[in-house]
Amino acid sequence: MIIARTIKEVRENIGEWRREGLSVGLVPTMGYLHEGHASLVDRARAECGKVVVSDFVNPTQFAPNEDLEAYPRDFEHDCNLLEEHGCDMVFYPSVGEMYAPNAATYVEILDEMPKQLCGKTRPIHFRGVCTVVSKLFNIVQPDKAFFGQKDAQQLAVIRRMVRDLSYGIEIVGCPIVRESDGLAKSSRNTYLNAEERKAALVLSKAVFRGEELVRSGVTDSGKILAEMTEIISAEPLAKIDYISAADGETILPADEITDGVLVAVAVYIGKTRLIDNFIAGGLK
Ligand code: AMP
């Protein structure tokens, strides 16, 4: 596996692969990799000639009060996991390699979409995500890029950016990978102590119950969100950020649950903010 720390090295290797006629898949990550990330790499491996994974904790998507400094990092572990899953190149740039000291150009969706759900408490988050992903798209120029449904709003935002800016890149959404007890895998789960880890199960419990209600034919989002709220509120360590139903493409509120509607939750367990969701009728 090639470890590339500079944009130049990435471009040189991709140029070579292109000359050989190979397709390229990109999996953007912030590192501290787990089986959720690995599932994206496996999918890219199955669909593309060469697989590039970026491993970069992107400062522009964190607000000053968020966990940029504390965000877990373990590059050696990441390399081992990536090698096991057949990644061809990991792009591991420094902040200085990605952002010039006076970088001031951003990619931002100027409508309601990035202000919904996670955007309410994280107002600059999706601007940072769009900016870094658009830079990665320019650097790697992949045929396909792979994103998890775990971050469903992010997936919708990226699809929108790709459409609006005419990137010729296919965006592939991949299902949520969970721990055996249901908790969605996340690099941030490492922040949880034993008691919080148990409490965190209310997210998946609520998501599974919501999914069950939808499968049984309930379409009133009010009723579904109320039951989910009840499950999460019963946990003393949980503080709800939001529990919402939204159109899967526009992320605007949805009153009726039809196929493609996203039902998403964000909950603080102690100081750790966790997210989970389901998509009615499954991920398309
Ligand atoms: P992150 O490193 O958290 O920025 O995530 C990088 C990519 O992995 C994003 O597209 C995430 O949606 C995806 N991802 C993270 N956790 C999971 C999971 N549990 N299941 C599937 N995809 C995931």
Side-chain angles (χ1 to χ4, degrees), residues 27-40 54 56 61 71 146-152 154-155 174-179 183-188:
V27 180
T29 82
M30 296 208 301
Y32 211 71
L33 304 178
H34 49 65
E35 285 92 337
H37 300 108
S39 74
L40 273 55
S54 59
F56 177 61
Q61 69 193 67
Y71 197 83
F146 299 80
F147 293 85
Q149 182 201 319
K150 161 82 191 336
D151 300 273
Q154 169 174 281
L155 176 59
C174 304
I176 300 175
V177 176
R178 299 178 178 280
E179 302 288 354
L183 179 68
K185 287 192 185 262
S186 164
S187 309
R188 289 191 168 97

Side-chain angles (χ1 to χ4, degrees), residues 181-235:
D181 61 4
L183 179 68
K185 287 192 185 262
S186 164
S187 309
R188 289 191 168 97
N189 291 347
T190 185
Y191 295 149
L192 303 168
N193 65 29
E195 198 191 351
E196 291 169 342
R197 174 65 183 76
K198 264 188 222 146
L201 284 179
V202 286
L203 279 92
S204 52
K205 210 171 143 195
V207 161
F208 296 157
R209 177 64 184 143
E211 237 174 343
E212 187 178 62
L213 287 169
V214 171
R215 267 200 305 270
S216 73
V218 181
T219 57
D220 174 8
S221 69
K223 183 170 171 7
I224 290 160
L225 300 179
E227 272 213 34
M228 292 172 68
T229 304
E230 200 175 314
I231 291 169
I232 296 178
S233 306
E235 169 52 58

